[in-house]
Amino acid sequence: MGVLGKITFNTIASSLGRVIGGILALASVGFITRGLGKGGFGEYSTVVAYLSTFQILADLGLYSLLTKEISQKPDKEKELVGHYFTLRLFTAALFLFLASILVFAFPYSLEVKMGVVITSSAFLFLSLSQIFLGVFQKHTQVYKAAIAEVLGRTAQLGFVWYFFTKEGVLVSYLSALIVGAFVIFALNLFFTRKLVRFRLLVSFKEWRRITKETLPIAASLLFTLLYFKADTILLSIMKTQEDVGIYSAAYKVLETLIFFPAAFMGLMLPVLSRYAKNNKEKLSLVMSQLLKLITVGAFPVVVGGALTATTVVYFIGGADFLASALPLQILFLATGVIFFGTLFGNTVIALGLQRKAMWAYFAGFVFNFAANIVVIPQYSYIGTAWTTVFTEILVTTYLVFIVRKEVGFNVPLGALTKIAAVTAVMGLGVFYLTTPLQTPLSVFKFIFVTLSAVSIYTLFSWKAGLFSRISID
């Protein structure tokens, strides 16, 4: 199987795993929202957003840099994985320990504060699991991470369902999250050890080298995190937990969807890294082809998602969460932009332009934080959703500018026009089948509408010649 064949297989497998994992995760959210209500789910989301912040602080860009280094230095893979894993273990434990202490300075309820302390272990497992993804990407075996994801989500859902039947409280559902995270970590560790028999390595000299190299990526991730998670934290401080719950129900959908471009571009990163080092002309050609592929995925997600948002949030949280429909419609726009941001963000790493990209994410953070401070008091989660959209547009535009200066790729305007036209046809079909838009569809009709949309989009895309072959050696 060629490189593209392996990438295609792993993308399909990881996407399928993510679809299943996403369904399981949303099913868990469905039980949690119904078990805890808007306020309780708001507290649950506050714990998760708060700990996610410190988890990403501990990332330091290690996963992305490891993927690049083991792709360019395969003879040193065992040592590199050992150093990176040990460094991640140290930084994650340190930052999550600080999170457990600092939470007592926030104006949260005692339940939320104790929830943070208890659940920090889950985020340690998740942080360590992420480092293994670099190994899977290098060996083009990301499907193994998908298996771990599905089994971990299944374990979590099982415990969530059990606590739901027993009328569990906040800490119950957080315990289910810990179980799921541990299963994911244990399986990823097992699969990685089959590929690379690494061990814990402590070398402060090597850690200094890695840290120096990864600082621009770490700074970029920090700023990305701050505008990705700060909205929920600011909502939790400036508004009620009910507002947090409504916004988080919508945001969960965005977090599920943006995995797909991230998974695909993660698999492409080793390829882009090789071209960036040895063949800029080929990199330019591949960039144009990838831009077309990302557009094929992004446009229908935005249009179809916006038209079915009411049904999606109804499935997630029931009638009590129908207010999440409007912020979800807005966040679908942000999702589409993130698809493109993922392409150019990974290209920046492949080109070694992390220092320049850092300013793009810094600009996004400054804008997002300032805008949220202004809009949240009056517009709450609606203002936050729009702020997310404009932040992603700002950051992605900046990344495009950085990449375009280094690699003169062509924008396939003809293909983009065809994709827009095909998406419009699909959108008209979905609009006709879902009218009135504010009324949730039944499960069977939603499935029928989804299959119809996929069929329409696939048929017209094929007729328009959008499925041409992409060549990657």
Side-chain angles (χ1 to χ4, degrees), residues 193-231:
R193 294 275 294 172
K194 290 290 185 180
L195 295 172
V196 184
R197 301 292 294 181
F198 73 93
R199 59 188 178 86
L200 296 176
L201 294 175
V202 177
S203 169
F204 294 109
K205 180 180 179 181
E206 181 67 7
W207 287 9
R208 282 196 299 271
R209 182 196 70 81
I210 294 172
T211 303
K212 182 178 179 181
E213 183 74 19
T214 196
L215 276 178
I217 302 178
S220 299
L221 284 171
L222 171 61
F223 296 134
T224 303
L225 153 76
L226 288 174
Y227 73 71
F228 232 83
K229 294 296 182 183
D231 50 5

Side-chain angles (χ1 to χ4, degrees), residues 71-84:
S71 298
Q72 295 179 343
K73 306 171 186 175
D75 56 315
K76 297 183 178 180
E77 182 178 18
K78 182 178 177 180
E79 292 76 13
L80 285 169
V81 174
H83 284 300
Y84 275 83

Side-chain angles (χ1 to χ4, degrees), residues 181-200:
F182 175 75
V183 171
I184 292 173
F185 165 72
L187 289 172
N188 278 322
L189 176 62
F190 172 77
F191 291 140
T192 301
R193 294 275 294 172
K194 290 290 185 180
L195 295 172
V196 184
R197 301 292 294 181
F198 73 93
R199 59 188 178 86
L200 296 176

